Amino acid sequence: MTAPAVSTVSPVPTAPAAAPRPARYVEHVMGMPISLALRGRHTSDERARAAWADALAVLREADRVFSTYRPDSVISRLGRGELDERDCPPEVREVLAVGEAARRDSDGAFDVRRAGRLDPSGVVKGWAVERAAAALVTVPDTDFCLSAGGDLTCRTLHPDDAPWRIGVEDPRDPGRLVAVIPIRTGAVATSGAAHRAAHVVDARTGLPPSGLGSVTVIAPSLTVADVDATAAYALGPDAAGWLAARGRTGLVVAADGVTTVVG
Amino acid sequence: MRRILTWFLSTVAVVALLFGYKTSTGASATPTSDTVVAAPGTGSGASAGSGSGSTGTSGSTGSSASSGTSGGTGTTTYTGSVAQTRWGPVQVAITVAGGKITNVTVPQYPNGNGRDQQINASALPVLTKETISAQSASIDMVSGATVTSDGYVQSLQSALDQAGLA
């Protein structure tokens, strides 16, 4: 009996790209897809998976504390007046302080309290993802890009390595892009009409801003980028001017598709 | 026309902006300066921009002619000086026809070489002349307002993730 002639030669790999593709992970937390891309020494090993698990744990904990959909969350109880802000965990006070600063800076267009409701979601997302990324920062010799529903933070360790390339979704056609942002280390956040089911409104009027498609902000901190993108979007026609006055870098896409780079 | 020129020259010091003046609709947009946000006035124009850096553009349409070149039938392209921004040199050229800006190109922008490698915390969006599909853009992640779990399956981010799941 002759063994069939089986080729044991592996398929010839296709020509390598300039840089190897990053390893990717996806989970859903807080009703959002959480996407992670890793490149470098630890991309698919135990170290990488442990860091990913740690990052997800941070996000799930943030959801437990801050979710307005969970009646037993700290935020829900605080909103109903069952808790005093002074009795809340420090991270809740931190988030509320960020929200208060944004309210002040945006002349009230951004407000975590509106119509008697407490909803700090506009702060929590970026803040939580930034905290989650701390688990990835500790992974040696590894670059990461961590995104939660389109808001992301990334790092690149070696100055010779290519930046992460972030596509900015076209608000008129989410299947397409209006810009690409090459970024090594920092954060990118975008706010627009479809954000959490069109719930971004100008807190002063309760109405969604008119004339704007989306606002993208690039900043070292995702907490800052996310809050400023949302506040700028809520400001409507003033978005670009407001961002420029704050010295931010970003992209404003009008409802008709006209794009303005700020910075 | 004079207003356009005044506006354009005044941007020499503040061309830290790569603005996508036209989008895929290509409709006759009006060249009002409210589509432009000037960066804080850092960096003054360095060298005169005549024809310098006419290579390396991203998605330009080859109309980045040198300063003040007349293109016949009242079409003129103006190329600004190179402004040194914290991201690197930036240069803007506009084409004016019939008193309206008909095209904007960016002959020079920080493109990942040289001093751009010092950039760490910030980056500048590079606008696409036409909206582009993710497949042709070679991107790592998508930033957008519509990426929810409900819509994830159809999203660009989903396609990216599927392409490289560990």
Side-chain angles (χ1 to χ4, degrees):
Chain A
M1 193 168 188
T2 313
V6 174
S7 168
T8 58
V9 178
S10 301
V12 178
T14 51
R21 274 185 176 167
R24 292 179 179 273
Y25 301 79
V26 186
E27 288 277 341
H28 290 260
V29 180
M30 303 190 285
M32 288 180 299
I34 314 296
S35 301
L36 171 67
L38 293 174
R39 64 185 188 199
R41 198 208 302 184
H42 300 285
T43 58
S44 310
D45 57 4
E46 193 52 42
R47 185 75 185 82
R49 283 189 290 273
W52 172 229
D54 289 347
L56 291 173
V58 171
L59 294 174
R60 292 194 179 104
E61 175 60 18
D63 191 38
R64 266 191 295 278
V65 172
F66 290 99
S67 174
T68 55
Y69 295 96
R70 295 166 179 258
D72 60 337
S73 73
V74 174
I75 283 301
S76 292
R77 295 167 60 205
L78 183 64
R80 290 193 302 265
E82 298 169 16
L83 269 182
D84 191 275
E85 191 174 325
R86 283 166 301 185
D87 301 325
C88 289
E91 62 265 31
V92 171
R93 298 203 298 272
E94 183 183 330
V95 161
L96 292 176
V98 172
E100 174 57 19
R103 185 193 64 77
R104 244 184 1 250
D105 292 351
S106 67
D107 284 333
F110 182 105
D111 198 336
V112 298
R113 289 182 182 83
R114 194 177 65 80
R117 268 193 89 230
L118 174 65
D119 182 359
S121 319
V123 179
V124 170
K125 187 178 174 189
W127 175 87
V129 175
E130 187 156 39
R131 279 167 69 101
L136 304 166
V137 168
T138 62
V139 182
D141 301 326
T142 305
D143 293 345
F144 66 82
C145 186
L146 176 67
S147 171
D151 297 333
L152 56 93
T153 180
C154 53
R155 87 159 169 193
T156 302
L157 288 169
H158 200 283
D160 289 336
D161 284 346
W164 295 98
R165 287 172 58 82
I166 312 304
V168 179
E169 185 184 87
D170 185 341
R172 298 164 303 163
D173 178 0
R176 301 181 76 80
L177 306 173
V178 289
V180 175
I181 301 168
I183 181 168
R184 290 198 161 75
T185 298
V188 180
T190 298
S191 283
H195 212 50
R196 295 178 210 96
H199 279 160
V200 176
V201 298
D202 185 334
R204 298 167 298 188
T205 62
L207 299 171
S210 60
L212 271 191
S214 68
V215 176
T216 298
V217 173
I218 305 154
S221 152
L222 183 52
T223 304
V224 168
D226 190 23
V227 166
D228 275 18
T230 305
Y233 180 74
L235 282 163
D238 301 331
W242 185 78
L243 289 173
R246 287 168 78 72
R248 296 276 181 257
T249 303
L251 175 69
V252 175
V253 184
D256 61 3
V258 171
T259 47
T260 306
V261 172
V262 181
Chain B
M1 178 66 107
R2 173 172 294 278
R3 189 165 141 269
I4 293 170
L5 283 177
T6 305
W7 164 77
F8 177 62
L9 293 173
S10 72
T11 59
V12 164
V14 291
V15 286
L17 40 94
L18 314 177
F19 59 97
Y21 171 69
K22 279 202 307 187
T23 64
S24 58
T25 59
S28 61
T30 48
T32 52
S33 59
D34 61 4
T35 60
V36 177
V37 172
T42 56
S44 57
S47 63
S50 178
S52 70
S54 62
T55 58
T57 58
S58 162
S60 86
T61 55
S63 61
S64 53
S66 55
S67 182
T69 300
S70 197
T73 65
T75 299
T76 310
T77 297
Y78 301 89
T79 303
S81 302
V82 176
Q84 300 299 330
T85 73
R86 61 188 162 119
W87 299 283
V90 178
Q91 186 182 37
V92 174
I94 62 170
T95 302
V96 178
K100 288 189 173 184
I101 300 173
T102 56
N103 194 23
V104 179
T105 59
V106 186
Q108 269 196 49
Y109 68 96
N111 60 359
N113 298 318
R115 78 178 65 201
D116 184 42
Q117 295 191 345
Q118 304 306 313
I119 298 169
N120 210 29
S122 290
L124 201 59
V126 179
L127 298 179
T128 60
K129 182 162 175 58
E130 304 285 336
T131 56
I132 52 174
S133 65
Q135 288 79 4
S136 62
S138 168
I139 57 169
D140 296 303
M141 286 280 178
V142 175
S143 184
T146 66
V147 190
T148 63
S149 287
D150 288 345
Y152 174 72
V153 171
Q154 292 95 27
S155 70
L156 289 178
Q157 185 62 55
S158 171
L160 288 170
D161 292 337
Q162 294 305 317
L165 280 179

